Amino acid sequence: MTNSDHKVVLITGCSSGIGLRIAVTLAKDEKKRYHVIATMRDLRKKDKLVEAAGDAYGKTLTLLPLDVCSDESVKSCINSIKDRHIDILINNAGVGLLGPVESISIEEMKKVFETNFFGVVRMIKEVMPDMKKRRSGHIVVMSSVMGLQGVVFNDVYTASKFAMEGFCESMAVQLMKFNVRLSMIEPGPVHTEFETKMMDDVAKMEYPGADADTVRYFKDVYLPSSIDIFEAMGQTPEDIANCTKKVIESSSPRFRNLTNSLYTPIVALKYADETGGLSVNTFYNLLFNFGPLMHITMSILKCLTCSCLRRRTISPN
């Protein structure tokens, strides 16, 4: 299935969305440089991936079951790969959580961290020792701009991404000594079936434990604003896949890789004021005081910004 010319790439969370598109993009590489091991928790959900892979399936792309929340599943998956040899690990599996924090149980919060944080840690712990022995490898982690800047009503999801950013920032220093690279991919809004369904679901839900004003702010202020931002600034899974491909093919890959240039000023607010007041007050005013103005601004941005700029990905080289 593979040869010495292929780089073995293992990707988590490939049943849909970004993970699926990264797997297909690498498997269909014109120079056939990659052997992709696409993984998902439930192989019964493989149909979309198999269809998108086309002729690459069974040749440059194979499937393995993997649950990043299970130590046994992670170890079994890696052990089933010849010589446990993985050149590139792409940690993509993740879950979202949206809504007033008063209505979210601690168990729901733990599930988010179990996948988004500990799932990544499990994968790195299992793959890293072999990479260090070979003095070669590249670990890629799918993060988010929410790992750099907090977003209202995304408290728990943001916290899981912040935790992952801190973990990886620490690991990157050690790994560099072993010639192993670690890169973060940090998308903003991405149009996926998962995001669309989540937005639809949360708009219909009740939020026991949260006061009426908070629920109203969430449904009548935050959700419309979020939809405006997605429509004006959202990228596609293909955009993120192309960005990821550029990162792994770079001769000197960056540690942090924002995929959407329009988000750079938003993230910069946080670092322009060490007290944090600038970013907190700016987002407060945008959401609660200048909501109609933001809607107009996003509409203008959507009309004026061509798709090539709105979806522009980074150029690591």
Side-chain angles (χ1 to χ4, degrees):
M1 300 295 290
T2 184
N3 58 55
S4 58
D5 295 328
H6 284 131
K7 285 189 174 181
V8 178
V9 185
L10 187 142
I11 309 170
T12 66
C14 294
S15 61
S16 63
I18 294 172
L20 182 153
R21 191 46 54 188
I22 294 174
V24 171
T25 298
L26 297 183
K28 290 186 174 182
D29 175 60
E30 291 181 357
K31 297 180 181 178
K32 299 188 184 302
R33 289 170 289 184
Y34 307 106
H35 174 73
V36 176
I37 301 172
T39 71
M40 60 189 71
R41 185 171 53 184
D42 185 356
L43 289 183
R44 290 174 296 182
K45 296 182 178 180
K46 68 180 182 181
D47 291 350
K48 289 181 181 178
L49 175 60
V50 171
E51 181 181 355
D55 293 341
Y57 179 61
K59 297 177 182 176
T60 54
L61 185 145
T62 57
L63 284 173
L64 284 178
L66 171 61
D67 180 359
V68 299
C69 296
S70 164
D71 292 350
E72 294 76 15
S73 177
V74 169
K75 185 172 289 293
S76 175
C77 178
I78 303 304
N79 284 342
S80 71
I81 297 168
K82 184 180 179 182
D83 300 326
R84 291 173 52 94
H85 186 107
I86 296 169
D87 295 294
I88 302 168
L89 168 66
I90 300 178
N91 295 280
N92 169 73
V95 295
L97 188 62
L98 184 62
V101 72
E102 301 98 315
S103 63
I104 300 172
S105 70
I106 295 296
E107 287 305 312
E108 289 178 286
M109 297 181 188
K110 287 181 178 179
K111 288 178 182 178
V112 172
F113 270 82
E114 193 62 53
T115 300
N116 294 359
F117 178 70
F118 289 110
V120 173
V121 173
R122 281 189 187 89
M123 294 303 302
I124 292 177
K125 277 172 60 68
E126 193 64 34
V127 169
M128 177 178 64
D130 295 313
M131 288 184 172
K132 289 168 73 174
K133 287 177 184 177
R134 295 194 308 270
R135 296 295 198 273
S136 175
H138 194 171
I139 296 170
V140 178
V141 177
M142 194 60 60
S143 183
S144 167
V145 292
M146 291 192 209
L148 301 172
Q149 173 64 59
V151 176
V152 63
F153 293 119
N154 287 268
D155 318 80
V156 179
Y157 176 79
T158 295
S160 72
K161 293 296 185 179
F162 263 68
M164 189 166 62
E165 290 268 346
F167 175 82
C168 291
E169 187 173 307
S170 303
M171 287 298 310
V173 177
Q174 177 202 151
L175 291 174
M176 189 178 293
K177 188 66 176 175
F178 294 87
N179 197 38
V180 177
R181 296 289 186 173
L182 197 158
S183 297
M184 311 290 289
I185 310 294
E186 294 156 329
V190 180
H191 296 290
T192 65
E193 294 177 10
F194 170 77
E195 295 289 350
T196 302
K197 185 177 185 303
M198 183 170 69
M199 287 290 191
D200 289 341
D201 289 345
V202 297
K204 301 171 186 174
M205 290 172 61
E206 300 295 329
Y207 293 94
D211 59 273
D213 282 343
T214 298
V215 174
R216 179 168 56 83
Y217 295 145
F218 174 60
K219 291 189 174 184
D220 297 342
V221 179
Y222 168 78
L223 286 180
S225 297
S226 182
I227 291 170
D228 284 343
I229 291 171
F230 262 82
E231 290 180 350
M233 303 174 69
Q235 294 179 295
T236 68
E238 288 80 5
D239 295 324
I240 311 307
N242 290 334
C243 170
T244 304
K245 190 170 187 286
K246 287 182 181 180
V247 170
I248 66 174
E249 290 174 357
S250 171
S251 58
S252 182
R254 299 173 182 174
F255 173 66
R256 283 199 168 92
N257 300 275
L258 283 167
T259 70
N260 193 326
S261 59
L262 294 178
Y263 255 82
T264 303
I266 297 174
V267 174
L269 284 174
K270 181 175 181 177
Y271 300 99
D273 173 18
E274 73 277 8
T275 71
L278 179 61
S279 61
V280 170
N281 291 328
T282 297
F283 287 117
Y284 174 83
N285 285 319
L286 282 175
L287 189 63
F288 293 111
N289 291 337
F290 305 133
L293 178 60
M294 188 171 77
H295 175 78
I296 294 170
T297 302
M298 290 296 105
S299 297
I300 293 172
L301 182 64
K302 182 180 177 182
C303 293
L304 295 182
T305 310
C306 66
S307 61
C308 63
L309 175 62
R310 180 154 45 95
R311 295 176 177 176
R312 184 173 60 187
T313 56
I314 61 158
S315 301
N317 289 320

